[in-house]
Each structure stands twice: as structure tokens, then as C-alpha cells.
Amino acid sequence: MAANEVDVYANEEKRTLELGGHVGFDSLPDQLVSKSVAQGFCFNILCVGETGIGKSTLMNTLFNTTFENEEASHYEQEVKLRSQTYELQESNVNLKLTIVHTVGFGDQINKEESFKPITDYIDEQFENFLEEELKIKRSLWNYHDSRIHVCLYFIAPNGHSLKSLDLVTMKKLDSKVNIIPVIAKADSISRTDLDKLKIKIMSELVSNGVQIYQFPTEDEAIAEINSSMNTLLPFAVVGSTEDIKVGNKMVKARLYPWGSVQVENESHCDFVKLREMLLRVNMEDLREQTHAHHYELYRRCKLEEMGFKDKGPDSQPFSLQETYETKRKEFFIELQHKEESMRQMFVNKVKETEAELKEKEKELHERFEQLKRMHQEEKKNLEEKRRELEEEMNAFNRRKVAAETLMGQALQGCSQQPFKKDKDKKKLFMFFFCHIFSFFFSPLS
Ligand code: GTP
Ligand code: MG
């Protein structure tokens, strides 16, 4: 029913009418401007580049001020990100500027994971925004939007091409952020080498499918300048906060024994082009692209991951309510499956334990039987020994009695016939001794 109503309105014919006079809604753009100006703007720049490549100096030069400038050491264990937010004002426009620097980028021996903290940081800002957007009570109008609008990727001027770290990092970043590559410290390379390096970098980016930010050419007013600037990428920049006198003017430059490199001189470097493109012409497009393109992609993937979709299997529009109901059903079915599998697991475990216990009981029983048998065997042996000993004792006692009788008879004989000589006495003693000895020490029977 609701879908039909929408169709009716969609097919409704629109008529163009002439106004009789000035009504006033032509001030709408001005209203928008004054509202935006009152609200202020925010812009977030991410500077990715090796330690000491000139990130801070370029930021100071771009905004013609001095931001906090803490030098990084070359001994960081891993890449970190340092962010700082500043309130800037130019004419009546307030800008909340956040500058995020990589710290320790390119300093580790193993650079495989160097891109990770950067992509994680960008995703975290998207996640924060999504969470705010999904809240029931949202306050997006005064929310500090920390999503990265542009990534200035600093390429070292020495070398003939991009380092693999640069290629990998830019490839990982290109779907998350608008990348503008810049060749840093361009004053340390000759014009010929610089031109060659620019061509090489661009061909490597193209052949590796790295999408860098293209200045938009839809708007006629800026189409020409933007399309010509697109051909000059990557910008070769020089940064300096030093002012020197050239003619009767003070200019930002880097002073050398042989002369000076003027930052804002377009024949010396592309600094002015970068500032023009980044701050004066395309700042709003960078903000818009971040929201409409990069954030949108993150949001879509995240919501799809959570099970939300716009169309059902029959390609019909799928409402949030339907998604919620489907998800709820899926969740309950999954829960039931989990419950069932857990119950099954428990039953199996109990069965296993029961079987183990039975096995143990059987083993114990066998052991008990074996011990019992051993015990009976030993008991039988002991009985046997006891019986033997008793028999020995009886035999011994019998002999003892016989010996005592023999001894009695002998003593009686001696007392009736007195010995004539000592020799006879001795013979008689030996006779008794041998008899008694043979009684006690001959084997018992
Ligand atoms: P970390 O924050 O420590 O990683 O360094 P960084 O990338 O912010 O570099 P920084 O701006 O601190 O500059 C490091 C050194 O390079 C300083 O001595 C600067 O004067 C010098 N420098 C900066 N920009 C340029 C440039 O365009 N050309 C040359 N030749 N030197 C530069
Ligand atoms: Mg720095």
C-alpha cells in the first residue's frame, strides 16, 4: 500500500510556474552559508611519511603558523599515530583542524604491519561516527567529526621509484581515505631527476591499481584548473618556516650557500599548487568525498556484516523491521542449534566418563582377584611350611627322649662297675659323646 503511494507521487507530473514577484527563497544559499559559518568547519589531515621527511614543517608552512612540533625518534618499536586538534580562524571562518602524524613510520626492520595502525586509526574514526549515527538520541550537529578527510602521503625524494612500503601502504589506504601523494624535500633533487621520479611514481601507482584522489572536474568553474593539476601529481613540495628577504619582500625559503629555494615560487616547487588544491579549491570536495564515498563504503560493509541489507532474496526492498525480524529468527535458530549441540556434547561427555569409569572398575576388580589368588597361594605355602616345621619338632622331641633314655642307661652302668684305669674311663666317655652327637645332628626323619 505504502509502495503504491510512493509510485503515485513519483509519476506525478510537475508543473513549472512563473512567480509574480520576488518571494525570497533565493536567499536559501546565503542562509546555508551563514548557518555553516556560524557552526564552523572541521578538517582532518593525516600525514603519512618516514621520520624526519618534513611532515611538521610542511604543515607549519601550509597554515603559516607553528603547530606543536615534537620530533620522533628513529627507534619506535611500532608505528604510532599522534593527533592534535587546533582552532584556527581566518576572516570570520572558524576551522577546527586536526593534524594526525605517523610516528616511527618506516623505522622498523619488519615493515609488513606498518600500514595496520594507520588503517585501524581511520576505521576507528569511521566507527565512532557510525556509532553516533546509530544512536537513538543523536547529536551529529555538534559531534566532533574526526574522520580523516585527506592523507598527504610523503614520498622520499631519494631513490628512483616508490618503496614497496609506500606501495603497500597506499594500496591499503586508498579505499579508506583521499590520498594526495607529495614528493617531500623536493629541493634535494634536480629538476631532471624530479620529472623522471614523478613519471615513475605515477606509472607504478597505476600499474599497482592504487587509487589516489583526483581533483573533481564536474564543476565548470574549477574543471580546468583541477584537470591540469591532476596531471601534475605527485606534487613536489618544499617546506620552510624561515623568512628571507628577496628583493624588497619577505618570503618563505630555504637558504643554501649557493642560493635559496623559495617555497611559494612555482618555478622552484609545487607548494603553491598543493595549498591551492588542498585548502582553497577542493577542501569541501575532500570533506564530501570522505562522507559520501569512503565513510559510505565503511558503513555499508559494517551494516552488511551485521546482517542488514536493502533487498531480500527476491530483489524486493527489505525494510529495517523485516531485517530485524529475520535477524531475530536467525539468532533464535542459531541459539537453539547451539543449545542442542551443547546438550549433545554433554551427553557424549557423560557417556565417555561412564565408559571410562566402567573400564577402571573392571581393572580394579581384576587386580583384586589377582591379589586374592596370590594371598591364597601364600597362605597355602605357609601352611605347608608350618606343617613341615611341626613334623621336624616332633622328630626332634622323639630323638631328645631317646637320647635322654640312652644317657640314663649309660650312667647307670658306670655306677655299677668301677673303672680300673683312666684309659677305660676315657673310652666310655667318647662312646657316649659320639652317640649323643649322632642323635642330635643326624638328619631328622
Ligand atoms: P618527525 O615528526 O620527527 O617524523 O619529522 P617530520 O617528518 O615532521 O620532519 P620535520 O618537519 O621535523 O623536518 C625534519 C628536518 O627536515 C628538519 O631539519 C627540517 O628543517 C627539514 N626539512 C623539512 N622540510 C624540508 C624541505 O622541504 N627540504 C629540506 N631540504 N629540508 C626540509
Ligand atoms: Mg614531525
Side-chain angles (χ1 to χ4, degrees):
M1 183 68 189
N4 285 346
E5 273 171 28
V6 171
D7 282 343
V8 169
Y9 287 118
N11 297 331
E12 205 176 22
E13 207 178 289
K14 293 176 198 84
R15 290 192 299 155
T16 311
L17 292 178
E18 289 281 319
L19 298 177
H22 182 248
V23 238
F25 63 76
D26 61 349
S27 71
L28 201 51
D30 302 332
Q31 291 174 37
L32 256 176
V33 169
S34 59
K35 197 175 165 192
S36 300
V37 168
Q39 209 175 316
F41 299 88
C42 82
F43 193 61
N44 307 320
I45 304 177
L46 167 66
C47 297
V48 180
E50 297 166 9
T51 306
I53 202 168
K55 303 181 289 290
S56 305
T57 311
L58 190 76
M59 284 300 108
N60 290 345
T61 322
L62 266 176
F63 288 91
N64 203 6
T65 186
T66 310
F67 299 113
E68 274 109 300
N69 198 357
E70 205 183 305
E71 278 182 23
S73 89
H74 282 277
Y75 305 103
E76 297 287 345
Q77 295 291 310
E78 55 185 13
V79 178
K80 290 184 196 134
L81 281 102
R82 193 166 56 210
S83 99
Q84 191 73 50
T85 302
Y86 307 91
E87 296 272 1
L88 305 178
Q89 193 177 26
E90 191 172 44
S91 309
N92 63 340
V93 176
N94 292 313
L95 182 71
K96 197 185 261 187
L97 176 74
T98 300
I99 300 176
V100 186
H101 287 268
T102 53
V103 179
F105 186 73
D107 288 333
Q108 294 74 35
I109 294 171
N110 182 357
K111 301 181 178 66
E112 241 171 62
E113 293 285 294
S114 295
F115 70 88
K116 192 89 186 9
I118 309 172
T119 50
D120 284 351
Y121 180 88
I122 297 172
D123 283 346
E124 196 185 321
Q125 311 319 308
F126 283 149
E127 186 61 36
N128 293 344
F129 192 83
L130 182 64
E131 269 176 26
E132 187 61 35
E133 228 185 24
L134 294 178
K135 273 185 189 166
I136 295 185
K137 224 173 148 190
R138 307 185 286 184
S139 51
L140 285 170
W141 63 276
N142 65 353
Y143 172 79
H144 177 208
D145 186 0
S146 56
R147 292 171 299 173
I148 299 295
H149 298 119
V150 66
C151 162
L152 291 181
Y153 196 96
F154 290 69
I155 300 163
N158 43 357
H160 303 296
S161 60
L162 283 171
K163 294 178 183 164
S164 52
L165 172 67
D166 296 329
L167 267 176
V168 170
T169 311
M170 279 198 257
K171 186 79 198 135
K172 294 282 178 191
L173 291 179
D174 71 353
S175 59
K176 296 177 185 290
V177 69
N178 301 310
I179 303 174
I180 300 183
V182 294
I183 298 173
K185 299 189 179 180
D187 52 330
S188 52
I189 181 171
S190 75
R191 171 57 62 192
T192 329
D193 285 346
L194 182 64
D195 290 342
K196 273 195 217 156
L197 184 61
K198 273 193 179 195
I199 294 168
K200 185 84 176 126
I201 290 170
M202 285 316 287
S203 79
E204 280 186 340
L205 289 177
V206 172
S207 61
N208 286 283
V210 178
Q211 298 288 322
I212 57 167
Y213 175 69
Q214 291 294 299
F215 303 118
T217 49
E218 292 81 39
D219 182 352
E220 270 179 32
I222 53 168
E224 198 181 331
I225 179 154
N226 274 356
S227 48
S228 74
M229 289 296 161
N230 278 331
T231 62
L232 295 175
L233 286 168
F235 292 137
V237 293
V238 175
S240 172
T241 44
E242 211 178 314
D243 290 304
I244 64 159
K245 199 163 185 189
V246 174
N248 52 3
K249 254 186 10 185
M250 292 301 283
V251 293
K252 293 244 173 308
R254 295 192 77 83
L255 205 54
Y256 292 99
W258 41 262
S260 64
V261 178
Q262 294 163 33
V263 170
E264 295 188 24
N265 186 332
E266 288 200 55
S267 60
H268 289 190
C269 73
D270 299 332
F271 172 81
V272 171
K273 295 184 182 80
L274 173 68
R275 187 177 60 193
E276 201 73 10
M277 289 294 97
L278 182 68
L279 306 181
R280 299 185 183 174
V281 181
N282 297 306
M283 202 182 209
E284 182 48 27
D285 185 70
L286 286 162
R287 284 158 39 89
E288 210 178 287
Q289 286 293 321
T290 302
H291 184 72
H293 188 69
H294 301 299
Y295 170 66
E296 204 56 30
L297 183 66
Y298 177 84
R299 182 180 170 279
R300 197 179 71 210
C301 293
K302 199 75 197 187
L303 292 183
E304 276 173 0
E305 214 175 86
M306 287 157 76
F308 292 101
K309 50 192 165 202
D310 292 332
K311 289 199 171 140
D314 48 359
S315 299
Q316 286 301 305
F318 215 54
S319 74
L320 207 66
Q321 176 73 21
E322 281 172 306
T323 310
Y324 172 72
E325 285 299 333
T326 322
K327 265 276 131 207
R328 213 165 76 100
K329 272 186 204 145
E330 277 174 16
F331 175 73
F332 276 117
I333 292 170
E334 201 183 310
L335 204 72
Q336 272 172 352
H337 281 161
K338 270 199 186 139
E339 232 176 70
E340 180 55 33
S341 73
M342 275 176 82
R343 207 179 58 79
Q344 200 55 45
M345 222 163 76
F346 180 72
V347 170
N348 289 346
K349 201 88 201 147
V350 168
K351 273 186 189 160
E352 266 173 37
T353 320
E354 228 172 55
E356 270 172 30
L357 280 175
K358 271 194 182 145
E359 188 64 28
K360 284 235 165 74
E361 195 186 328
K362 203 174 135 198
E363 271 174 29
L364 276 174
H365 191 73
E366 274 169 13
R367 181 107 187 94
F368 172 73
E369 286 297 322
Q370 194 188 4
L371 282 174
K372 207 165 120 186
R373 273 198 306 277
M374 272 164 67
H375 172 73
Q376 276 170 354
E377 193 80 17
E378 237 161 71
K379 198 174 158 191
K380 208 172 122 193
N381 288 345
L382 280 174
E383 283 291 329
E384 187 71 24
K385 278 213 174 107
R386 194 166 68 89
R387 205 177 46 75
E388 278 173 15
L389 269 175
E390 271 174 8
E391 272 175 20
E392 270 180 33
M393 262 168 71
N394 290 341
F396 178 79
N397 285 337
R398 275 198 310 275
R399 285 186 183 201
K400 193 176 146 195
V401 172
E404 276 169 1
T405 322
L406 205 64
M407 189 93 124
Q409 283 172 359
L411 285 173
Q412 226 175 8
C414 281
S415 60
Q416 283 167 5
Q417 279 182 17
F419 294 104
K420 289 167 194 134
K421 287 182 195 165
D422 274 355
K423 209 168 124 194
D424 294 334
K425 272 184 194 174
K426 243 180 197 169
K427 269 183 188 168
L428 192 67
F429 177 77
M430 281 305 289
F431 171 80
F432 281 119
F433 179 77
C434 289
H435 267 80
I436 290 165
F437 187 85
S438 66
F439 261 119
F440 284 102
F441 294 99
S442 66
L444 293 169
S445 55

